[in-house]
C-alpha cells in the first residue's frame, strides 16, 4: 500500500479549515500537543502540520489566487529518514507513511534541513520534531465507520479539495484523479518521489472586461446633459 493525499488546486479556496482540523485532531491524538508560542501575545506562532500558502498568478485583469496547502508528502525516497541519527524518523513498509518516534527524537533538526518541503516542525517546548502522520490513529480506527477513516483534513475540507487513498491501487479515487487530471508531485527534480499529488488548476476562459477608464458614449451624453441642467 502507498497511502497519501491528492489536493485539487482548482478547488481549494484557502480557508485554512484543513490546517485547523489537523491541529485540533493531532493535538488531542497520539502525537501530543502541537505547541503554540505566545498565543495571546503580539506575535503568536506555533506548530502546524499543514500550512496554506497563497500565490497570485497572471496579470490583471486575468490574475488568479492559487491556494497551496502543504504538509508532509510521505516521500518514497525521503532523506529526512536517512539523515536521522537516532532512527526516530522512519517510513512504514506496509503503507508508506513517514513518522517520527517521539521517544527516540532528540530534536537535532537534521531531518528538517533534509526536507525540501518545509514539512517538519521542531516543537521547542517538547524538544522533538513533529510532522503530518496522515492521521494514522484515525485511518486505522476500526470503531469509526469506514467512510470516516480518513485524515482530519480530508474530512473537514468544505470545498472537497482533498482526497485520501492508496496510490498502489490503480482503481482508487486518488490514482484515477491523478491519471485523469494530470496530477503531479512537487519538485520532482529533487528525486524524493513525493507520494502526495497536486491537481493543477483547469484552464479558464478569459472574462470579458470593460475598460472603465474610457467612458462609453452613453456616459458621455449623460455627463453632457448633467452639465447642461446644472449650469
Ligand atoms: S515531505 Fe519532507 S518530511 Fe515528509 S517524507 Fe518528504 S522529506 Fe520527509
Ligand atoms: S530531529 Fe529527531 S527525527 Fe529529526 S533527525 Fe533529529 S532525531 Fe531524527
Amino acid at each position: 500500500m502507498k497511502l497519501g493525499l491528492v489536493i485539487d488546486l482548482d478547488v481549494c479556496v484557502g480557508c485554512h479549515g484543513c490546517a485547523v482540523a489537523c491541529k485540533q485532531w493531532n493535538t488531542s491524538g497520539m502525537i501530543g500537543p502541537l505547541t503554540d508560542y505566545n498565543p495571546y501575545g503580539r506575535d503568536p506562532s506555533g506548530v502546524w502540520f499543514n500550512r496554506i500558502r497563497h500565490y497570485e498568478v497572471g496579470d490583471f485583469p486575468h490574475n488568479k489566487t492559487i491556494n497551496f496547502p502543504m504538509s508532509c508528502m510521505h516521500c518514497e525516497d525521503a532523506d529526512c529518514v536517512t539523515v536521522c541519527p537516532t532512527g526516530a524518523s522512519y517510513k512504514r513498509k506496509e503503507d508508506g507513511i513517514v513518522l517520527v518516534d517521539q521517544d527516540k527524537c532528540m530534536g537535532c533538526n537534521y531531518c528538517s534541513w533534509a526536507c525540501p518541503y518545509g514539512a517538519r516542525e521542531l516543537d521547542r517546548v517538547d524538544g522533538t520534531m513533529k510532522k503530518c502522520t496522515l492521521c494514522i490513529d484515525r485511518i486505522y480506527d476500526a470503531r469509526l465507520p469506514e467512510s470516516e477513516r480518513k485524515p482530519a483534513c480530508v474530512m473537514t475540507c468544505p470545498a472537497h479539495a482533498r482526497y485520501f487513498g492508496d496510490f498502489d491501487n490503480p482503481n482508487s479515487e486518488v490514482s484515477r484523479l491523478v491519471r485523469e487530471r494530470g496530477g503531479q508531485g512537487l519538485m520532482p527534480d529533487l528525486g524524493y518521489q513525493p507520494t502526495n499529488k497536486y491537481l493543477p488548476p483547469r484552464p479558464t476562459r478569459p472574462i470579458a472586461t470593460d475598460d472603465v477608464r474610457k467612458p462609453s458614449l452613453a456616459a458621455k451624453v449623460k455627463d453632457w446633459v448633467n452639465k447642461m441642467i446644472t449650469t
Side-chain angles (χ1 to χ4, degrees):
M1 250 196 328
K2 189 164 65 171
L3 297 179
L5 300 173
V6 163
I7 297 168
D8 189 344
L9 297 180
D10 199 37
V11 169
C12 174
V13 291
C15 69
H16 294 242
C18 53
V20 174
C22 163
K23 181 144 172 133
Q24 186 279 333
W25 177 264
N26 287 290
T27 288
S28 324
M30 59 171 272
I31 202 84
L34 305 190
T35 307
D36 286 320
Y37 312 116
N38 200 16
Y40 304 109
R42 288 171 66 89
D43 189 18
S45 65
V47 177
W48 296 81
F49 289 173
N50 197 3
R51 290 180 185 267
I52 326 297
R53 272 88 179 180
H54 308 277
Y55 301 100
E56 200 65 15
V57 296
D59 294 320
F60 179 83
H62 304 301
N63 51 331
K64 186 178 165 123
T65 304
I66 303 286
N67 305 295
F68 210 107
M70 279 182 75
S71 56
C72 175
M73 310 280 168
H74 299 280
C75 307
E76 288 186 57
D77 197 357
D79 273 0
C80 64
V81 170
T82 40
V83 300
C84 178
T86 65
S89 281
Y90 63 104
K91 184 169 174 73
R92 287 163 46 109
K93 278 199 178 64
E94 60 269 42
D95 54 18
I97 298 177
V98 174
L99 293 177
V100 178
D101 183 334
Q102 295 293 302
D103 293 330
K104 287 186 185 165
C105 176
M106 62 178 181
C108 67
N109 250 317
Y110 284 2
C111 58
S112 76
W113 294 329
C115 171
Y117 302 108
R120 294 196 164 232
E121 300 235 359
L122 182 70
D123 187 326
R124 302 201 302 269
V125 172
D126 287 354
T128 56
M129 196 55 74
K130 295 183 173 174
K131 64 173 282 301
C132 161
T133 67
L134 264 190
C135 289
I136 199 164
D137 50 347
R138 185 179 175 92
I139 60 177
Y140 289 113
D141 189 343
R143 293 167 301 177
L144 291 173
E146 207 163 333
S147 60
E148 291 182 20
R149 290 181 215 160
K150 295 175 182 171
C153 59
V154 176
M155 288 294 296
T156 207
C157 177
H160 302 291
R162 306 176 73 95
Y163 301 84
F164 164 71
D166 178 12
F167 287 87
D168 267 349
N169 176 0
N171 299 318
S172 68
E173 192 176 30
V174 285
S175 298
R176 184 181 54 77
L177 281 166
V178 166
R179 222 169 27 241
E180 290 175 2
R181 294 270 311 276
Q184 294 168 22
L186 203 57
M187 298 191 278
D189 40 313
L190 295 178
Y192 280 58
Q193 300 176 58
T195 299
N196 287 6
K197 297 286 184 291
Y198 291 90
L199 306 181
R202 296 177 180 94
T204 48
R205 262 187 301 152
I207 300 165
T209 51
D210 289 329
D211 190 346
V212 290
R213 287 160 300 189
K214 283 191 200 150
S216 64
L217 181 62
K220 278 186 195 161
V221 171
K222 200 172 151 197
D223 204 31
W224 181 79
V225 172
N226 274 341
K227 271 189 199 144
M228 294 301 290
I229 294 169
T230 51
T231 49

